[in-house]
Amino acid sequence: MDILGRRLGAHPPVDPQVAYAWRRTLSSRGRVRVDGLADEVGWSRKRLWSRFRSQLGITPKRAARLVRFDHAAHLLAAGHAAARIAAENGYVDQSHLHREVATFAGLTPTALAVAPWLAVDDVAWPASSPTQRPAKDGERIRDLR
């Protein structure tokens, strides 16, 4: 454990501006523009892109897409219609949502909605997993609250 502690301590802390950009990305559910984030932290878009990527391993745009996808996946698993999710969560249209789901999960929105791993991962889905049960053979996951 001592080695692990030293190794973790050897890395420089994340820039406060990068941490702020990450928190804003999460709080906006991925619906924040990189240019706006750069303005908020007082950096150029290029500097934010570079620092974010070097410290978090992905670009701010990719992070925003992943956060937006995560929120959409929660809504799909809760039984919301894909067209409504697309319209209310920053996707251009339903086919845009479909492409993002295929890119990140390799599934269609319908298949993602019933994916059994959505119901069992209490780390990634803490708000929903204690009250959900796994889907059976294509059944829609239902909230048991």
Side-chain angles (χ1 to χ4, degrees):
M1 279 307 226
D2 192 38
I3 290 173
L4 181 60
R6 284 195 310 264
R7 181 145 188 194
L8 288 173
H11 295 286
V14 174
D15 283 326
Q17 293 88 344
V18 172
Y20 174 83
W22 173 246
R23 286 190 307 272
R24 281 280 290 124
T25 301
L26 288 175
S27 68
S28 71
R29 294 187 173 147
R31 296 184 67 186
V32 63
R33 296 186 52 87
V34 176
D35 291 338
L37 278 176
D39 287 343
E40 287 180 39
V41 300
W43 284 350
S44 69
R45 184 177 192 267
K46 186 175 179 179
R47 179 173 171 92
L48 175 63
W49 197 274
S50 173
R51 299 298 297 162
F52 199 98
R53 184 173 186 158
S54 72
Q55 293 186 10
L56 300 181
I58 58 175
T59 65
K61 177 69 174 178
R62 180 86 168 169
R65 287 176 62 204
L66 285 167
V67 169
R68 186 172 52 181
F69 163 76
D70 178 67
H71 182 64
H74 277 84
L75 294 173
L76 286 166
H80 295 274
R84 180 177 172 199
I85 293 168
E88 295 176 357
N89 291 282
Y91 293 97
V92 175
D93 54 22
Q94 188 173 345
S95 64
H96 182 203
L97 171 64
H98 186 95
R99 286 190 307 274
E100 290 288 275
V101 170
T103 297
F104 291 125
L107 301 169
T108 65
T110 302
L112 178 67
V114 297
W117 46 266
L118 289 178
V120 298
D121 188 349
D122 62 343
V123 173
W125 307 89
S128 59
S129 56
T131 61
Q132 288 187 351
R133 62 173 175 75
K136 297 177 191 169
D137 298 330
E139 176 186 23
R140 180 168 282 320
I141 297 172
R142 294 183 304 149
D143 194 342
L144 299 176
R145 280 184 247 173

